[in-house]
Every structure is written in structure tokens, then in C-alpha cells.
Amino acid sequence: MNEALGMIETKGFVGSVESIDAMAKAAGIQLVKQVPTGGGFLTIIVKGDVGSVKAAVDVGAEAAAKAGELVGANIIARPHPELLKSYGI
């Protein structure tokens, strides 16, 4: 499995939209879901090949930071199948 998961957490809707737009334009990734985690925080989950996810998360995190709403970003290369199953991915 050469897939990866990428996650970006933002505070507020504007940062998440900026981030998703930048990621979709930067690389061939698939938006899996956007999870509201409470208190105005949103986590965006994307998947794709490792290189595309890395490029997308880097660009998406930069876009969210410019909007002043980046909380964190992370990439999991080759996630365990049970992790994917637990999140319905």
C-alpha cells in the first residue's frame, strides 16, 4: 500500500475552505471528510499517494496559516488498514 492520509486542523470555516481549495489544486488527492471537532475546530482528512498527500498538506497548511487559522498538520504514510476501517475510509 503506497497510500497516505493527510490531516489539517483549522480554527474556523474560512481556513478550512482555503486549505481544501489549495490542496485540491496542488495535487491529485481525494478529500475524505471534514470533521468538526468542537469549539470551531475542523479537521480535514485527505488521501492519496504519499507524494501527492505530502505536497497537498504542505500547500494546504500554508494556505490555512495565511488565513490565520492553522492549528496543525500531519501525514500518515501507509496507515494500518484497521485505522482506515475505524474512520470509515
Side-chain angles (χ1 to χ4, degrees), residues 6-49:
M7 296 158 286
I8 295 179
E9 187 170 32
T10 65
K11 179 163 177 57
F13 186 71
V14 172
S16 74
V17 172
E18 289 281 344
S19 180
I20 292 168
D21 182 54
M23 287 192 290
K25 290 176 181 175
I29 48 95
Q30 179 183 2
L31 175 64
V32 175
K33 61 173 74 173
Q34 184 176 24
V35 182
T37 54
F41 291 92
L42 298 156
T43 300
I44 304 152
I45 303 173
V46 298
K47 73 176 182 176
D49 67 82

Side-chain angles (χ1 to χ4, degrees), residues 35-82:
V35 182
T37 54
F41 291 92
L42 298 156
T43 300
I44 304 152
I45 303 173
V46 298
K47 73 176 182 176
D49 67 82
V50 176
S52 294
V53 170
K54 171 80 170 114
V57 169
D58 288 347
V59 169
E62 184 179 327
K66 282 183 183 176
E69 298 188 350
L70 177 66
V71 176
N74 196 20
I75 298 166
I76 301 174
R78 299 177 315 280
H80 193 279
E82 290 298 316

